[in-house]
Amino acid sequence: MNLAVSIGPVVSLIAGILILLIPRLLNYIVAIYLIVIGLIGLFGSGSFKL
């Protein structure tokens, strides 16, 4: 059984949960999320498949 999970939705889910738990970290979480998504876009997500 092959399970293919993209890293983008996983990062979004983790960021959303952290924002709900700790609203003070919103700016940092959004900044880190944007950086991660940007790096995935630049380098491709082919090597991040699980």
Side-chain angles (χ1 to χ4, degrees), residues 6-38:
S6 297
I7 194 76
V10 174
V11 172
S12 299
L13 182 63
I14 292 170
I17 291 171
L18 287 175
I19 289 169
L20 284 175
L21 294 176
I22 311 169
R24 292 177 290 144
L25 296 179
L26 178 63
N27 290 337
Y28 296 110
I29 292 170
V30 170
I32 292 169
Y33 172 77
L34 291 173
I35 290 170
V36 168
I37 296 300

